[in-house]
Structure formats: structure tokens, C-alpha cells
Amino acid sequence: MERTFVLGVVLTVGGLVGYGVGVSTAYPGRELSLVGVMVGITITAVGLGGADA
């Protein structure tokens, strides 16, 4: 797998875990988990799209 795709998946999963923890426990910076999910999905899509080019 390409590094871009793997990085996107890691960011997405990390953001989802952070969001899940943030639902039950308030902590500073928890809104950044949503940014991690959005950026992770975008980087994953770029990684998939660039595989053929």
C-alpha cells in the first residue's frame, strides 16, 4: 500500500477513536478529532486516486 493511503487511514481511525473518547469524556482539543477524520478521509481518497497515475 502507498504511504499516502496508510497515513489517511491512520488519521481517520485516530480521529474516530478521539471522537469516541470525546463523547464520553470532555478533554481540551477534542474538536480536533473531527478535523482528523476529515483530513484522513481526504488523504485516503488522494492516496487511492493517485495509485493509477
Side-chain angles (χ1 to χ4, degrees):
M1 288 199 269
E2 291 192 20
R3 285 186 288 174
T4 307
F5 177 76
V6 173
L7 177 64
V9 170
V10 167
L11 277 173
T12 303
V13 170
L16 288 172
V17 169
Y19 183 79
V21 171
V23 167
S24 62
T25 305
Y27 61 91
R30 64 183 169 169
E31 70 277 358
L32 291 176
S33 64
L34 293 176
V35 174
V37 171
M38 291 186 288
V39 171
I41 290 172
T42 303
I43 292 175
T44 302
V46 168
L48 286 175
D52 294 337

